[in-house]
Amino acid sequence: MEEMSYKIIYDIGKNMEYRKEEIKNKANYCLGCKVAMCKKGCPLENDITEFIACMKEENYEEAYHILCNTSVLSPICGRICPHKSQCEGACVRGIKGESVSIGELEAYVGDMGIKEQYEIPKFHTQKKEKRIAIIGGGPAGLTAGAWLVRNGYEVTIYEKYDKLGGILRHGIPDFRLEKDILDKQIQKIVNLGIEVQYGKSLGKDYKLEDLEKDYDAIFIAIGANISAKMGIQGENLQGVYGGNELLEHGSHPNYEEKRIAVIGGGNVAMDTARTIKRMGAKEVTIIYRRAEKQMPAERKEIEDAKKEGIKFLFQTNLVEIKGKEIVTEVECIKTQLVKKEGETREVPVDIKDSNFMLPMDYVIMAVGSKPEQRIVEELGVELTSRGNIKIDEDYRTSRQKVFAGGDISGTKATVAWASRSGREAAKAIIRWLEK
């Protein structure tokens, strides 16, 4: 067996064999509920109680195969999913105490699958004479490709970079997801029989019309990684960056002895802030207009950011970025949370005359993302009012044999939801091809 540099993000450096007893204890903490609320909390609907039951018996291969019935990204989702707001947040154990460590257990099983070279099982061995093209090799594209190949279809992924992974590679920092784990899991997926065309960018190297001629169906999964703007004065000053672009391309300015404001409360804001802090910034401040409890970022990421010395300004809104040509300071205003009619949660409202100034060298926007305009125009499909690709309940676009999923279609912006959309779109493609 190939020798591997093997790490577990929860306990880096410890050998898996050494951790078996600890992992078994965590598995035994699961009550094995007949009505598994944790499964309902998982976007992928993983059969959590069943795979943990196998772990209790140390039957890791069977646990792995159970997870493969719904997911092909277990070692990744087990690490980076917002478990506290998904599976673990729904765990019955969490009502009166600590929830089961579902993410850690899933990651361990996924890692065991890599270490022991467990195969991702196929659903059908018979080859189908249908070919599907997938545009984009992120979590939605990889999952869709895996599901289609496992059902006997020929799949080709068109990837603009020289490696697959999408947001997993270009948006998640190494300190949250080690790239050797990512590489090995992607290789397992490709080994199912997926062909990959690397360095192929839509609109430059090929057009959608070309694929429509050569393939029986097309799945668009190119993501939406352009940072949204707030529409305030000063956003075009030198020193204002998008968090998505910084994480994707890694083209950072020199942060040493600089003061940086990161605007937003999601995982992109956390990942950007923590990355910048590691690069020598003097002071990093996350500015969020709502309360801490309303932050969409994973609770663990927020706590880790605090431990790393990142400052937080809650219930604070950015009013203007100031400077002649380059950023010198930002104007902020305090907010109060108000329950408005028709709103499901309290909304932030600016408090009159509570404005204040903060000296700042860089401002990083992490308030949301949108698709690249050039790409959506190139596709020539109907869009939603938000600029996403419009799809129906079967992931179909306005073009007959073109489907879409993941962030480009407005899917909830987590890896598990993107993966789910890829899986469900693949099922929809199969239904359409076989009708």
Side-chain angles (χ1 to χ4, degrees), residues 397-409:
T397 72
S398 56
R399 296 178 79 136
Q400 184 181 10
K401 56 173 157 180
V402 180
F403 298 72
D407 289 352
I408 191 74
S409 64

Side-chain angles (χ1 to χ4, degrees), residues 14 83 121 129 190 270 364 396:
K14 284 191 176 182
H83 305 107
E129 294 182 2
V190 172
M270 300 304 127
I364 314 300
R396 289 274 296 278

